[in-house]
Amino acid sequence: MAIRASEQIIHKAAWLYYTHGLRQDEVARQLNISRASVAMYLKKARDTGIVNISTSTQLFTDDVLARQLEDVFGLSAVWVVPQERHAIDPAAEVPAVAASVFIELVNRGDRIGVAWGRTVYTMADVMSFADLQDVTVVQLCGNLGAPYSYRPDQCTMEIARRLNAKGLNFYAPLVLSSEPLAQGLRNEPVIREQLASVADCDLALFSVGTVDEDSHVVKCGALSPDDMHALRDNGAAGVIAGQMIDAKGELLDCDYNRRVISADLGSIRSIPKRMMVVQEDSKLDPLLAALAGGLCSHLVVTAPMAKRLLEHRKSDLRPLSQ
Amino acid sequence: MAIRASEQIIHKAAWLYYTHGLRQDEVARQLNISRASVAMYLKKARDTGIVNISTSTQLFTDDVLARQLEDVFGLSAVWVVPQERHAIDPAAEVPAVAASVFIELVNRGDRIGVAWGRTVYTMADVMSFADLQDVTVVQLCGNLGAPYSYRPDQCTMEIARRLNAKGLNFYAPLVLSSEPLAQGLRNEPVIREQLASVADCDLALFSVGTVDEDSHVVKCGALSPDDMHALRDNGAAGVIAGQMIDAKGELLDCDYNRRVISADLGSIRSIPKRMMVVQEDSKLDPLLAALAGGLCSHLVVTAPMAKRLLEHRKSDLRPLSQ
DNA sequence: CATCGTCGCTGACAAAAGTCAATTCCGACA
DNA sequence: TGTCGGAATTGACTTTTGTCAGCGACGATG
């Protein structure tokens, strides 16, 4: 909590440079150190969140598509990442936008729930450091096998580290082999408390997964490709925090879900700000399911995806109104 | 609300430079403009709050004095501006610290009450620009005569401008010549609504005034120096949002207060974050009165003032405990 | 239709910031 | 006490950024 002596000088340099607008050599003179040291301290200050530089994300909210999506799906806020002509991949930009948006949505003292996935992990990776105080980051779902690289606990911890926040991990597997065991584990006080605390979050961050053999739950061995196809045939439309949802965004009634340890969808829905980030164009159906179930309030998508969402909704509504 | 075409390019440049970390010449190439233009756009982005650079104020909370003040007076957070050896005036630093702290305390969607005074005005002046959305800044008290330079409406408007927020002014004089007139005006729907809305604020910003001939209420002609002395003899210990308070921080029962149009102290106390900023060393007694009355939860003071507050409290408590 | 004033943009130069190898400092350990 | 290893600091050099006069486009005005 308290600033160590070695950090004090960094704070001072940052204050004089960024708040008072002195030049590096002036700061150096004031603090009786070399200008090179000042440059170094300032870099450190930026890297650790002592100094915070954030760019408005209005560029991405200010888009007809974003407005339409807000209206049509009743969302609080939508960010659309445009297709840049000369630029690189539009999808690659999504995590960067999402990370900025995410930081803007966090307030001091907040409790934040974080699920897992490649998108979330990439976001954590490009997220800038911030010096929020009294923020807690909680893991929304159990863990996967060790050799996997986007583990839920890693996502949680990395985001906590970037925000200078407290990370609350959750040491249970995401999927167990039998239902009674899962039930037993869910009733363990440590686990139960953490799952119950999800409803108290101010903000949640997650993506949505596809129901096919590319899904993380398949890749990490929790389900076989065949199981996955069977689930799909039984109505699974997407994966949220490791759980199968149907096309209405409700928890699918299936053996797999009963063996999962994760935050329940009701708790997630009761979180005021539920931020969903989707970078892959293949996730149209899962995303529609999540939207149908009211699982998200804040959405970050690519422009192509935004267009497809709107088209789908239009063709969906017309038959009904006729 | 929507970004104008001319601003779009500024947003893009800022995004590429600050979020993606490209160099100015790379940004220039991407956007097909000269590097000089990029430099210009970036400056504009910083000046208008499209890009936000903020420095942690931990340096000022991390002080034994600050901790002691928090404990002793039961405050949520205290910032102490130290006496720098070589540096300039410690008091001159107070508004800069306060402005940074203030920005940190504001959240999106907040309603903020602002009182008036030289300190508040100076804060507004050094406050950086930010791009908060849906923030409303409301004026806490009526206005003073026109020729005055730190008018309440100016403080409110300037802060609203810096935050890109909506300013809610309040067109009534601070002091009227008769009590019935004041009562009538307070009951005007426009005025009544605004006064009632003060209790809904998330954050308030004010300073405290002295009860002597240097006070703004005297300088702007609302009270004569003799009136002021009389009020002091009757127990006035400080001025909050234009109203006289006694040493316990309660509204003084006096003719003057009955003629004032301002937010009532109860409403102010019900605001969760009440930030008080004191730069002058002469304001010890008024500050003690405000603290006694629970009128502030967040405090910014100089180190000398912090020491005096603590000494005073110690000598005050000892007789009681014996 | 010419002229003027304004505004936005750029090229070229000056100023400031970033970088890194060399050096100093400091504590641990023989 | 000496000396060794690693971290912190710095001087000198390079790269990047800030600035501003000057140019051209555009719209208003006589």
Coordinates of all heavy atoms in Angstrom, one line a residue, chain B residues 18-46:
Chain B
Y18 N -1.3 6.7 -29.2 CA -1.3 6.3 -27.8 C -1.7 4.9 -27.5 O -1.1 4.3 -26.7 CB -2.2 7.3 -27.0 CG -1.6 8.7 -26.9 CD1 -2.1 9.7 -27.6 CD2 -0.5 8.9 -26.1 CE1 -1.5 11.0 -27.5 CE2 0.1 10.1 -26.0 CZ -0.4 11.2 -26.7 OH 0.1 12.4 -26.6
T19 N -2.7 4.3 -28.2 CA -3.1 3.0 -27.9 C -2.2 1.9 -28.6 O -1.8 1.0 -28.0 CB -4.5 2.7 -28.2 OG1 -5.3 3.7 -27.5 CG2 -5.0 1.4 -27.7
H20 N -1.9 2.2 -29.9 CA -1.1 1.2 -30.6 C 0.4 1.5 -30.5 O 1.2 0.6 -30.9 CB -1.5 1.2 -32.1 CG -2.7 0.3 -32.3 ND1 -2.6 -1.0 -32.7 CD2 -4.0 0.6 -32.2 CE1 -3.8 -1.5 -32.8 NE2 -4.7 -0.6 -32.6
G21 N 0.7 2.6 -30.0 CA 2.1 2.9 -29.8 C 2.9 3.2 -31.1 O 4.1 3.0 -31.1
L22 N 2.2 3.5 -32.2 CA 3.0 3.9 -33.4 C 3.7 5.2 -33.2 O 3.3 6.0 -32.4 CB 2.0 4.0 -34.6 CG 1.1 2.8 -35.0 CD1 0.5 3.1 -36.4 CD2 2.0 1.6 -35.1
R23 N 4.7 5.4 -34.0 CA 5.4 6.7 -34.0 C 4.6 7.7 -34.9 O 3.8 7.3 -35.7 CB 6.8 6.6 -34.5 CG 7.8 5.9 -33.6 CD 9.2 6.2 -34.0 NE 9.4 6.1 -35.5 CZ 9.7 5.0 -36.1 NH1 9.8 3.9 -35.4 NH2 9.8 5.0 -37.4
Q24 N 4.9 9.0 -34.7 CA 4.1 10.0 -35.4 C 4.3 9.8 -36.9 O 3.3 10.0 -37.6 CB 4.6 11.4 -35.0 CG 4.2 11.7 -33.5 CD 4.5 13.2 -33.2 OE1 5.0 13.9 -34.0 NE2 4.1 13.5 -32.0
D25 N 5.5 9.4 -37.4 CA 5.6 9.3 -38.8 C 4.8 8.1 -39.3 O 4.3 8.1 -40.4 CB 7.1 9.3 -39.2 CG 7.9 8.2 -38.5 OD1 7.4 7.7 -37.5 OD2 8.9 7.8 -39.0
E26 N 4.7 7.1 -38.5 CA 3.9 5.9 -38.9 C 2.4 6.3 -39.0 O 1.7 5.9 -39.9 CB 4.1 4.7 -37.9 CG 5.6 4.3 -37.9 CD 5.8 3.2 -36.9 OE1 5.6 3.4 -35.7 OE2 6.2 2.1 -37.3
V27 N 2.0 7.0 -38.0 CA 0.6 7.5 -38.0 C 0.3 8.3 -39.2 O -0.7 8.1 -39.9 CB 0.3 8.3 -36.7 CG1 -1.1 8.9 -36.8 CG2 0.5 7.4 -35.5
A28 N 1.3 9.2 -39.5 CA 1.1 10.1 -40.7 C 1.0 9.3 -41.9 O 0.1 9.6 -42.8 CB 2.4 11.0 -40.8
R29 N 1.8 8.2 -42.1 CA 1.7 7.4 -43.3 C 0.3 6.7 -43.4 O -0.3 6.8 -44.4 CB 2.9 6.4 -43.3 CG 3.4 6.0 -44.7 CD 4.6 5.1 -44.6 NE 5.6 5.6 -43.7 CZ 6.1 4.8 -42.7 NH1 5.8 3.5 -42.7 NH2 7.0 5.3 -41.9
Q30 N -0.1 6.1 -42.3 CA -1.4 5.5 -42.2 C -2.5 6.4 -42.6 O -3.5 6.0 -43.2 CB -1.7 4.9 -40.8 CG -0.9 3.7 -40.4 CD -1.9 2.5 -40.3 OE1 -3.1 2.6 -40.3 NE2 -1.3 1.3 -40.3
L31 N -2.4 7.6 -42.2 CA -3.6 8.5 -42.4 C -3.4 9.4 -43.6 O -4.2 10.3 -43.9 CB -3.8 9.4 -41.1 CG -4.1 8.6 -39.8 CD1 -4.3 9.6 -38.7 CD2 -5.4 7.7 -40.0
N32 N -2.2 9.2 -44.3 CA -1.9 10.1 -45.4 C -1.9 11.6 -45.2 O -2.5 12.3 -45.9 CB -2.9 9.8 -46.6 CG -2.4 8.6 -47.4 OD1 -2.7 7.5 -47.1 ND2 -1.6 8.9 -48.4
I33 N -1.3 11.9 -44.1 CA -1.1 13.4 -43.8 C 0.3 13.6 -43.4 O 1.1 12.6 -43.2 CB -2.0 13.8 -42.7 CG1 -1.9 12.9 -41.5 CG2 -3.5 13.9 -43.2 CD1 -2.8 13.3 -40.3
S34 N 0.7 14.8 -43.2 CA 2.1 15.1 -42.8 C 2.3 14.8 -41.3 O 1.4 14.8 -40.6 CB 2.5 16.5 -43.1 OG 1.8 17.3 -42.1
R35 N 3.5 14.5 -41.0 CA 3.8 14.2 -39.6 C 3.5 15.5 -38.7 O 3.0 15.3 -37.6 CB 5.3 13.8 -39.4 CG 5.5 13.1 -38.1 CD 6.9 12.9 -37.7 NE 7.6 14.2 -37.7 CZ 7.5 15.1 -36.8 NH1 6.7 14.9 -35.8 NH2 8.2 16.2 -36.9
A36 N 3.7 16.6 -39.3 CA 3.4 17.9 -38.5 C 2.0 17.9 -38.1 O 1.6 18.3 -37.0 CB 3.8 19.1 -39.3
S37 N 1.1 17.5 -39.0 CA -0.3 17.5 -38.7 C -0.6 16.5 -37.6 O -1.4 16.8 -36.7 CB -1.1 17.1 -40.0 OG -0.9 18.0 -41.0
V38 N 0.1 15.4 -37.7 CA -0.2 14.4 -36.6 C 0.2 15.0 -35.3 O -0.6 15.0 -34.3 CB 0.7 13.1 -36.8 CG1 0.6 12.2 -35.6 CG2 0.2 12.4 -38.1
A39 N 1.4 15.7 -35.2 CA 1.8 16.3 -34.0 C 0.7 17.3 -33.5 O 0.4 17.3 -32.3 CB 3.1 17.0 -34.2
M40 N 0.2 18.0 -34.4 CA -0.9 19.0 -34.1 C -2.1 18.3 -33.6 O -2.7 18.8 -32.6 CB -1.2 19.8 -35.4 CG -1.3 21.2 -35.3 SD -2.2 21.8 -36.8 CE -3.7 20.8 -36.8
Y41 N -2.5 17.3 -34.3 CA -3.7 16.6 -33.9 C -3.6 16.0 -32.5 O -4.5 16.0 -31.6 CB -4.1 15.5 -34.8 CG -4.5 15.9 -36.2 CD1 -4.4 15.1 -37.3 CD2 -5.1 17.2 -36.4 CE1 -4.8 15.5 -38.6 CE2 -5.6 17.6 -37.6 CZ -5.4 16.8 -38.7 OH -5.8 17.2 -39.9
L42 N -2.4 15.5 -32.2 CA -2.2 14.9 -30.9 C -2.3 15.9 -29.8 O -2.8 15.7 -28.8 CB -0.8 14.2 -30.9 CG -0.7 12.9 -31.8 CD1 0.7 12.4 -31.7 CD2 -1.7 11.9 -31.4
K43 N -1.7 17.1 -30.1 CA -1.8 18.2 -29.1 C -3.3 18.5 -28.8 O -3.7 18.6 -27.7 CB -1.1 19.4 -29.6 CG -0.9 20.5 -28.6 CD -0.8 21.8 -29.4 CE 0.3 22.8 -28.9 NZ 0.8 22.7 -27.6
K44 N -4.0 18.6 -29.9 CA -5.4 18.9 -29.8 C -6.1 17.8 -29.0 O -7.0 18.1 -28.1 CB -6.1 19.0 -31.1 CG -7.3 19.9 -31.1 CD -7.7 20.3 -32.5 CE -8.6 21.5 -32.5 NZ -8.7 22.1 -33.9
A45 N -5.8 16.6 -29.3 CA -6.4 15.4 -28.6 C -6.1 15.5 -27.1 O -7.0 15.3 -26.2 CB -5.9 14.1 -29.1
R46 N -4.9 15.9 -26.7 CA -4.6 16.0 -25.3 C -5.3 17.2 -24.7 O -5.8 17.2 -23.6 CB -3.1 16.2 -25.1 CG -2.2 15.0 -25.3 CD -0.8 15.2 -24.9 NE -0.2 16.3 -25.7 CZ 0.5 16.2 -26.8 NH1 0.7 15.0 -27.3 NH2 1.1 17.2 -27.4

